[in-house]
Amino acid sequence: MKFFIDTANLAQIQEAHDLGILDGVTTNPSLMAKEGIKGEAAIMKHYEAICELVEGDVSAEVFSTDFNSIIEEGKKLAAIHPNIVVKVPMIKDGVKAIKWFTENGIRTNCTLVFSAGQAILAAKAGAAYVSPFIGRIDDSNWDGVELIAQIAQIYSIQGFKTEILAASIRNALHIVKCAESGADVCTCPLDSILGLLKHPLTDIGLAKFLEDAKKM
Ligand code: E4P
């Protein structure tokens, strides 16, 4: 399973990269706004900076919701760097745009996916990635990880090549469960990635080893 970081914060991207386990980055308008990025020129410049930090795919989301505008916006984003993947929402014009991008050699990440039916449509349109939102499904009193397993089973039976990118990850256990359920990629906040490091028995065991090492 590949690890993407779900942020537009350059320091956090650098920290995950330095850990040696980072395969890519996902962003969305909320994450870009959180970093104070405003205006087309600043957006383009920020994506360039992210692409310089990491070697893998970087998802850049369109703000438009009609077919022609999605295409125009997506073409500009894709021109920034070969690793840019255009992130398109799961709406009717979004599906049409994903099909157009696929036919024109531009890779896409279909976002805001909350059902297996939506995941089938994204794959049929040729999306490189599909992003089911695990945490938001959990918030609505349903099981987000179950959706990952269901999509993985459908894609395997049907031979779809779209990669399952588990999104809206809230903790380290989500990452483990997504790996177990067949996600190809997990996009996570830095805290959730670092949460994988933690176990109290590791801390206790290390303290004992360090204490005994002094007797050697
Ligand atoms: C990433 O592709 C998604 O936009 C992101 O994971 C959504 O996460 P959230 O539900 O924590 O906002």
Side-chain angles (χ1 to χ4, degrees):
M1 187 174 76
K2 284 180 273 187
F3 272 56
F4 288 2
I5 188 164
D6 195 24
T7 185
N9 182 282
L10 297 179
Q12 291 189 10
I13 294 169
Q14 184 71 59
E15 189 175 339
H17 175 264
D18 290 348
L19 197 55
I21 49 82
L22 192 63
D23 300 301
V25 179
T26 54
T27 62
N28 62 35
S30 309
L31 294 170
M32 292 287 279
K34 202 170 154 189
E35 299 308 312
I37 318 293
K38 274 190 194 147
E40 191 177 320
I43 292 169
M44 299 290 164
K45 209 170 146 211
H46 199 74
Y47 282 130
E48 271 176 37
I50 294 175
C51 290
E52 275 167 27
L53 278 184
V54 292
E55 279 159 29
D57 287 346
V58 174
S59 286
E61 189 159 344
V62 297
F63 309 150
S64 310
T65 52
D66 70 278
F67 177 78
N68 289 325
S69 309
I70 295 174
I71 299 301
E72 285 319 302
E73 211 185 325
K75 282 199 285 191
K76 279 187 201 165
L77 291 169
I80 297 172
H81 192 279
N83 288 350
I84 290 282
V85 175
V86 180
K87 206 171 171 193
V88 182
M90 170 40 76
I91 53 175
K92 203 174 186 181
D93 280 29
V95 172
K96 280 165 66 180
I98 289 169
K99 179 75 178 168
W100 188 92
F101 285 130
T102 306
E103 286 171 351
N104 287 275
I106 293 175
R107 291 175 309 134
T108 54
N109 172 358
C110 182
T111 189
L112 289 166
V113 166
F114 294 90
S115 76
Q118 292 178 323
I120 292 171
L121 267 185
K124 283 292 291 179
Y129 298 102
V130 65
S131 288
F133 277 34
I134 302 314
R136 294 194 198 184
I137 293 174
D138 286 2
D139 292 344
S140 68
N141 209 15
W142 209 256
D143 187 344
V145 170
E146 246 180 38
L147 178 61
I148 298 293
Q150 189 185 14
I151 297 171
Q153 191 186 13
I154 292 169
Y155 280 12
S156 161
I157 292 168
Q158 298 296 332
F160 287 133
K161 299 284 177 258
T162 301
E163 291 190 68
I164 304 168
L165 194 167
S168 187
I169 295 293
R170 301 280 164 79
N171 53 55
L173 184 60
H174 266 159
I175 302 175
V176 174
K177 290 286 178 191
C178 285
E180 203 174 50
S181 303
D184 299 291
V185 190
C186 224
T187 188
C188 327
L190 181 62
D191 282 357
S192 302
I193 298 175
L194 297 179
L196 291 171
L197 287 166
K198 290 181 195 154
H199 198 288
L201 291 179
T202 303
D203 299 338
I204 293 166
L206 181 62
K208 176 75 175 135
F209 284 154
L210 293 179
E211 190 187 315
D212 290 343
K214 290 181 199 152
K215 301 172 196 161
M216 282 163 52

